[in-house]
């Protein structure tokens, strides 16, 4: 079967790598001649709103999916007229706009930070009164990896925040002094069957994910997260993998955002789970049975940002796996990741101590507070 992917970055690349053993073929649509998925799949060069390109992809493919959510709504609809497209265009539209996304969370009873829209400096000042401080000002659209965000600590920050982001539709939301950040990776098949991966704990710096560990041994939180994720999957008649990111505050989840695609915090599943998120996304969009989502012991994923670590040194650490994306080194760019698998949490931490410095972090950079109810942790 032929799978078309809109976007040719590392997510498309890892989808293709997961799909070849299932006897699938891939074409990726991307405007960049050096799109890294083009090294492992046929590259169809073109803009995402170029009708002839979209039609060519739809013509060839049995199903079309995405490697990022900021696909123009019109493009998704053009594809939908010709071919099966998953996840549904509605899920993309919701995830593109923080206002629609947060309104959906609210409608489904999923806790989310207090928020209000902002269209002028005057509205920002009024919004600060309503939401309180500290608060995050965010662009409604096209924000990712911490881009398009401004943290306001005091009312006097309003002018600078407006100068930095003003001119496009904005959202002010309350700042959550979280204990930890987690994500839920859930998948829904064409037949409505669902599965969830173990809860993942994430560490961001400068808005970019740096380290994930899974499973997080917090069964109550996991149940709460799976429940919220299933509400989203069912409401959206979703097909494919959905990632939902949460803050944890006072032992409860507060939803930050969702991504209607495979997700960076799920890369550990390639070696660390029975079925990887990439394979399960493909199984879902093709109408195949979903694979088991259980973790195989303990896993961590270190993002390689800007440059790749020395390969031999990484591979010398027992349980470490190296993933280069075939991208040129550039500051701030995700160029690869390392997965570490271990049988025990202690062995995982010992391996991380060796691996983190190789990827440019300090060995003790990403410690988590103890879990409530787990005094020994
Ligand atoms: P986002 O682009 O919304 O995923 O934000 C990137 C990162 O910024 C998050 O993972 C958090 O670490 C931080 N962040 C975003 N929104 C908030 C908030 N309301 N309160 C506290 N931290 C936030």
């Amino acid at each position: 079967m032929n799978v078309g992917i809109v976007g040719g970055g590392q997510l498309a690349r890892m989808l293709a790598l997961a799909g070849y053993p299932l006897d699938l073929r891939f074409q990726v649509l991307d405007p960049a001649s050096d799109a890294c998925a083009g090294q492992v799949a046929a590259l169809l060069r073109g803009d995402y709103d170029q009708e002839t390109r979209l039609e060519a992809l739809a013509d060839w493919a049995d199903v079309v999916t995405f490697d990022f959510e900021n696909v123009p709504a019109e493009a998704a609809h053009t594809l939908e007229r010709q071919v099966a497209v998953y996840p549904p265009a509605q899920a993309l539209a919701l995830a593109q706009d923080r206002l629609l996304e947060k309104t959906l969370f609210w409608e489904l009873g999923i806790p989310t930070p207090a928020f209000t829209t902002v269209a002028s400096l005057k509205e920002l000042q009024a919004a600060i009164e309503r939401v309180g401080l500290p608060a995050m000002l965010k662009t409604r659209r096209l924000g990712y990896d911490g881009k398009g965000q401004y943290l306001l600590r005091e009312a006097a920050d309003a002018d600078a925040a407006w100068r930095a982001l003003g001119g496009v539709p904005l959202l002010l939301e309350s700042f959550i002094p979280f204990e930890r950040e987690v994500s839920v990776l859930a998948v829904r098949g064409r037949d409505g069957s669902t599965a969830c991966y173990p809860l993942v704990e994430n560490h961001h710096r400068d808005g970019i994910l740096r380290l994930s560990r899974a499973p997080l041994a917090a069964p109550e939180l996991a149940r709460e997260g799976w429940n919220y994720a299933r509400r989203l999957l069912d409401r959206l008649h979703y097909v494919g993998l959905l990632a939902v990111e949460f803050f944890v505050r006072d032992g409860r989840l507060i939803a930050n955002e969702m991504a209607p695609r495979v997700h960076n915090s799920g890369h550990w599943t390639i070696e660390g789970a029975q079925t990887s998120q990439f394979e399960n996304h493909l199984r879902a969009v093709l109408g195949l049975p979903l694979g088991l989502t259980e973790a195989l012991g303990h896993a961590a994923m270190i993002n390689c940002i800007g440059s790749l670590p020395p390969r031999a040194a990484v591979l010398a650490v027992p349980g470490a796996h190296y993933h280069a994306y075939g991208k040129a080194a550039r500051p701030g760019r995700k160029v690869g990741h390392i997965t570490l698998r271990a049988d025990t949490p202690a062995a995982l931490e010992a391996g991380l101590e060796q691996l983190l410095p190789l990827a440019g972090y300090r060995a003790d950079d990403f410690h988590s507070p103890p879990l409530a109810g787990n005094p020994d942790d």
Side-chain angles (χ1 to χ4, degrees), residues 112-115 131-132 134-136 172-176:
T112 193
F115 64 93
V131 166
M136 295 286 269
L172 186 74
E173 66 181 48
S174 58
F175 178 86
I176 308 295

Side-chain angles (χ1 to χ4, degrees), residues 38-55:
Q39 296 166 9
V40 303
L43 174 65
L44 190 63
R45 259 193 90 188
D47 283 318
Y48 303 127
D49 55 2
Q50 210 175 327
E51 203 131 315
T52 52
R53 284 316 206 198
L54 293 165
E55 279 166 7

Side-chain angles (χ1 to χ4, degrees), residues 98 101-102 113-114 134-138 143-149 151 173-178 181 202-209 245-247 254-257 263:
R98 292 186 192 272
E101 182 182 62
K102 290 207 151 54
M136 295 286 269
L137 186 64
K138 298 184 177 181
Y144 68 98
D145 285 349
K147 294 190 173 64
Q149 298 195 5
L151 172 63
E173 66 181 48
S174 58
F175 178 86
I176 308 295
F178 53 79
E181 291 188 89
N202 301 315
H203 293 267
H204 294 84
R205 190 176 308 145
D206 302 326
I208 303 178
L209 180 67
E245 294 185 78
F246 296 94
F247 305 121
I254 301 172
N256 176 29
E257 62 179 2
H263 194 253

